[in-house]
Amino acid sequence: MELNSMASSPSWWRSLFSPSRNPVTVHCFKRLQEYANLKLVTSSQEKKALASLKEMEKIIGYKFKEKSLLQQAFTHSSYQESESYERLEYVGDSILNFLISKQQFFMYPNLSPGSLTALRAANVDTEKLARVAVKYNFHKYLRHENPMLSKQIQVFIKAIEKYPFHSYGLIDAPKTLADVVESTIGAIYVDSNSSIDTTWEVAKNLLEPMITPEMLQQNPVRKLNELCHKKKLKVRFRDKWLKEGIYEVIIDNKLKGKGVYKAKKEIALNRAAEDACNNILNSTSESLK
Amino acid sequence: MELNSMASSPSWWRSLFSPSRNPVTVHCFKRLQEYANLKLVTSSQEKKALASLKEMEKIIGYKFKEKSLLQQAFTHSSYQESESYERLEYVGDSILNFLISKQQFFMYPNLSPGSLTALRAANVDTEKLARVAVKYNFHKYLRHENPMLSKQIQVFIKAIEKYPFHSYGLIDAPKTLADVVESTIGAIYVDSNSSIDTTWEVAKNLLEPMITPEMLQQNPVRKLNELCHKKKLKVRFRDKWLKEGIYEVIIDNKLKGKGVYKAKKEIALNRAAEDACNNILNSTSESLK
């Protein structure tokens, strides 16, 4: 990179950067030029960062008094230069959990404690929050140095197309995406002088559309168990996960479902159960034709 | 039981209760007497319940506008007659988690996220909250119809004598005791028109003394692993839990620790690790003598 502003500088300033044959002067010139270049790069990076922060504020719908809090909220631990989002995530996670619990408690006075817990999970679990992050392009502003993470995010973005609201355990959501939503909420809480109302206003908008009791679906394993109980079918799982990343569902001694996912056992299991449910329901509707 | 107030009643009222030889009148008399007795019992129960509520308010340090909320907070699901504490526990759990997270976040600005999480767990986990319940005699006001629970509570009260603040996984705390602290906090939050400040004031007093970073101890299994790593000892666990409720710790091919607890695997494991830690440290101090 060259020092672009030299042409328009006064002669005394230009002379400072004129190389001479004296090695000490040449060395000094180089150091000065490096410093000036660095300043230019930093200044350009700073401008870009500031623009990003303004964009993020617009997306989130909250203007930070302390911009560094927002920057911290978007800094993954793999990014060496500054403090990561983890402390803000710690506080943000607990606020979000409380805000949703409170809202559901008053909104659904007749809902059982079990249903309230399932509903809260569907509205603040890793998948739901990772979806929020993708919807609002949070991943584009995330500061990290982990190439694997970028790949995982791309796979997740593709996977959620199939499930408009929630997959209930069929897809693997990158935890970092959920973390950054929680850290952002934590940052707003801290920046707004611990204002519950301000934090809820922002969080509510980010989480819309909320999953309601009517939209809530069961986890595939529970769904399969209930279906088999209702139809008096004998169900068992065959665990091939350690060697092949596979779970199989055997119903009345016949293979009726298969789930593959090498990175997480639970997802392979859920996929097998979902596959078996679909096969049972399809064979029932076939026999009714 | 007799109708005690009859002697001072007017004659027309007394005549109502005078048995005659007419079987219909006798029947009517009996029904009326039963009804009057029932009224007396109910009224005496009500008085007792009201006195209990007043005592509880004094213990908690909060006066309820809606007394039924306090009563609900102390009603276990085994108690058939009225709504159980579970919905209040659902909301109370999330408030408590948030309040402690928030307090620790601001109180310890340099504490790592991992330490913050461990500290929060030690201050709001089942054992800590069950200790709060025992300290303030909550179990004496708990409405339940589960004889097993009464026994478990007595065993727990005896067990905590050995550990002044926390056993970190060595004793089994009845979840119901922790639940009733959470439901009480939930009830205060609802009764105080969702006042975070009022709820925190009561919760803070109940939870004192708070566990600080200096008081925090590691889980026995982690403690053992670190100790063995430091002393270059080879450690493994022998799982006899399913058949005998026992875990054993083998260090450099010698039995060095044993943990017994039939009701929960995790506690047997922690006890084995703790036992092994003590044996290693004792043998080290013996060899130093």
Side-chain angles (χ1 to χ4, degrees):
Chain A
M1 270 180 97
E2 287 301 313
L3 193 63
N4 302 320
S5 55
M6 271 188 72
S8 57
S9 309
S11 58
W12 66 266
W13 177 248
R14 278 204 307 273
S15 70
L16 263 178
F17 298 94
S18 299
S20 82
R21 287 183 192 280
N22 178 333
V24 178
T25 320
V26 169
H27 175 76
C28 283
F29 166 74
K30 279 192 175 164
R31 292 298 297 273
L32 264 167
Q33 198 173 34
E34 275 165 23
Y35 177 73
N37 285 345
L38 187 71
K39 284 293 276 184
L40 271 179
V41 173
T42 310
S43 153
S44 129
Q45 276 178 341
E46 269 170 10
K47 267 187 194 160
K48 212 174 146 190
L50 205 66
S52 290
L53 287 173
K54 279 190 179 166
E55 279 172 31
M56 281 144 74
E57 285 182 333
K58 216 171 169 181
I59 290 170
I60 298 164
Y62 176 82
K63 203 168 178 181
F64 278 80
K65 291 188 279 286
E66 185 57 72
K67 308 286 181 202
S68 65
L69 278 169
L70 178 56
Q71 200 159 42
Q72 189 187 333
F74 277 77
T75 305
H76 186 250
S77 56
S78 64
Y79 191 85
Q80 301 288 330
E81 283 171 47
S82 39
E83 197 182 346
S84 84
Y85 60 58
E86 286 167 305
R87 272 181 57 93
L88 290 173
E89 176 215 337
Y90 159 86
V91 77
D93 165 68
S94 75
I95 300 163
L96 192 57
N97 205 49
F98 159 59
L99 290 170
I100 289 288
S101 303
K102 167 195 167 182
Q103 190 241 15
Q104 292 185 168
F105 179 86
F106 291 114
M107 184 172 270
Y108 306 113
N110 298 317
L111 210 61
S112 74
S115 301
L116 280 172
T117 305
L119 193 61
R120 176 175 63 192
N123 276 308
V124 294
D125 70 0
T126 305
E127 184 181 326
K128 166 76 191 200
L129 297 185
R131 283 169 175 272
V132 170
V134 168
K135 183 178 171 187
Y136 290 101
N137 282 322
F138 277 22
H139 54 294
K140 293 188 180 159
Y141 300 95
L142 181 66
R143 306 199 298 172
H144 73 95
E145 281 163 15
N146 179 356
M148 273 298 289
L149 180 58
S150 305
K151 273 188 195 167
Q152 285 166 0
I153 293 172
Q154 288 318 309
V155 172
F156 177 69
I157 292 173
K158 188 87 196 128
I160 54 175
E161 286 171 8
K162 209 175 148 187
Y163 307 94
F165 296 110
H166 208 293
S167 82
Y168 297 97
L170 297 175
I171 56 179
D172 192 7
K175 187 180 171 292
T176 304
L177 286 183
D179 289 349
V180 86
V181 174
E182 289 175 340
S183 59
T184 301
I185 288 167
I188 294 165
Y189 177 71
V190 175
D191 192 71
S192 66
N193 280 327
S194 311
S195 164
I196 290 286
D197 292 339
T198 305
T199 311
W200 175 233
E201 212 160 304
V202 179
K204 196 177 58 183
N205 283 336
L206 288 176
L207 294 178
E208 289 290 352
M210 296 278 186
I211 293 169
T212 63
E214 295 73 33
M215 289 156 74
L216 196 63
Q217 281 178 35
Q218 275 181 325
N219 161 286
V221 176
R222 187 179 280 192
K223 198 163 68 179
L224 177 66
N225 284 331
E226 287 197 6
L227 188 64
C228 289
H229 179 77
K230 203 172 141 191
K231 291 186 174 285
K232 290 176 185 152
L233 300 168
K234 204 178 153 191
V235 59
R236 68 181 176 92
F237 286 88
R238 191 149 61 195
D239 183 352
K240 294 180 168 182
W241 189 79
L242 258 182
K243 282 193 179 168
E244 302 170 50
I246 289 175
Y247 259 95
E248 288 175 347
V249 181
I250 314 294
I251 290 175
D252 286 347
N253 293 321
K254 277 179 201 155
L255 177 67
K256 279 283 178 181
K258 199 171 171 178
V260 190
Y261 194 69
K262 287 189 179 172
K264 263 186 207 159
K265 197 173 173 171
E266 199 193 345
I267 289 177
L269 181 73
N270 285 334
R271 286 180 179 179
E274 182 75 9
D275 188 35
C277 278
N278 292 337
N279 287 334
I280 295 170
L281 294 171
N282 282 342
S283 63
T284 313
S285 62
E286 281 296 318
S287 68
L288 287 174
K289 275 179 188 169
Chain B
M1 272 179 96
E2 287 301 314
L3 194 64
N4 302 321
S5 55
M6 269 189 74
S8 57
S9 307
S11 58
W12 66 267
W13 176 248
R14 280 204 306 278
S15 71
L16 264 177
F17 298 94
S18 301
S20 83
R21 291 187 188 275
N22 178 334
V24 178
T25 319
V26 170
H27 175 77
C28 283
F29 166 74
K30 279 192 175 163
R31 292 299 297 272
L32 265 167
Q33 198 172 34
E34 273 165 24
Y35 176 75
N37 285 345
L38 187 71
K39 283 292 276 184
L40 273 178
V41 174
T42 310
S43 151
S44 129
Q45 276 178 341
E46 269 170 11
K47 268 186 195 161
K48 211 174 148 190
L50 206 65
S52 289
L53 287 173
K54 279 188 180 166
E55 279 172 31
M56 281 144 74
E57 284 182 332
K58 216 170 169 181
I59 289 170
I60 298 164
Y62 176 82
K63 203 168 179 182
F64 279 79
K65 291 188 280 286
E66 185 57 74
K67 308 285 183 204
S68 66
L69 277 168
L70 178 58
Q71 200 158 42
Q72 189 187 333
F74 278 77
T75 306
H76 186 250
S77 57
S78 64
Y79 192 85
Q80 302 288 331
E81 282 172 48
S82 40
E83 196 181 348
S84 85
Y85 61 57
E86 287 167 305
R87 272 180 58 93
L88 290 173
E89 175 215 338
Y90 159 86
V91 77
D93 165 68
S94 75
I95 299 163
L96 192 57
N97 204 48
F98 159 60
L99 290 171
I100 289 288
S101 304
K102 166 194 168 183
Q103 190 241 14
Q104 293 185 169
F105 179 86
F106 291 114
M107 184 172 268
Y108 307 112
N110 299 317
L111 209 62
S112 74
S115 301
L116 280 173
T117 305
L119 193 63
R120 176 175 63 193
N123 276 307
V124 294
D125 69 359
T126 306
E127 184 182 326
K128 165 77 191 200
L129 297 186
R131 282 169 175 274
V132 170
V134 168
K135 183 179 171 185
Y136 290 102
N137 282 323
F138 278 22
H139 54 293
K140 294 188 179 160
Y141 300 95
L142 181 66
R143 306 199 297 172
H144 73 96
E145 281 162 15
N146 179 354
M148 273 297 289
L149 180 58
S150 305
K151 273 189 196 167
Q152 284 165 1
I153 293 172
Q154 289 317 310
V155 172
F156 177 69
I157 291 174
K158 189 88 196 126
I160 55 175
E161 285 172 7
K162 208 175 150 187
Y163 307 95
F165 296 109
H166 209 293
S167 83
Y168 297 98
L170 298 175
I171 55 180
D172 192 7
K175 188 180 170 291
T176 303
L177 286 183
D179 289 348
V180 85
V181 174
E182 290 176 338
S183 59
T184 302
I185 288 168
I188 293 165
Y189 177 71
V190 175
D191 191 70
S192 66
N193 280 328
S194 310
S195 164
I196 290 286
D197 294 338
T198 305
T199 311
W200 175 232
E201 213 160 302
V202 179
K204 195 176 58 182
N205 284 336
L206 288 176
L207 294 177
E208 289 291 353
M210 296 277 185
I211 292 169
T212 63
E214 295 73 33
M215 289 156 74
L216 196 62
Q217 280 178 34
Q218 275 181 325
N219 162 285
V221 176
R222 186 179 279 191
K223 197 163 68 179
L224 176 66
N225 283 331
E226 286 196 6
L227 188 64
C228 290
H229 180 77
K230 204 172 141 191
K231 291 188 174 283
K232 290 177 184 150
L233 299 168
K234 204 177 151 191
V235 60
R236 68 180 176 88
F237 286 88
R238 191 149 60 195
D239 183 352
K240 293 179 169 183
W241 189 79
L242 258 182
K243 281 192 180 169
E244 303 170 49
I246 289 175
Y247 259 95
E248 288 175 347
V249 181
I250 315 294
I251 290 176
D252 287 347
N253 293 322
K254 278 179 201 155
L255 178 68
K256 279 283 179 181
K258 199 171 170 178
V260 190
Y261 195 69
K262 287 189 178 172
K264 264 187 205 159
K265 197 173 173 170
E266 199 193 345
I267 288 176
L269 181 73
N270 285 333
R271 287 181 178 179
E274 182 75 9
D275 188 35
C277 278
N278 292 337
N279 287 333
I280 295 170
L281 294 171
N282 282 343
S283 61
T284 312
S285 62
E286 282 296 320
S287 67
L288 286 175
K289 274 178 189 168

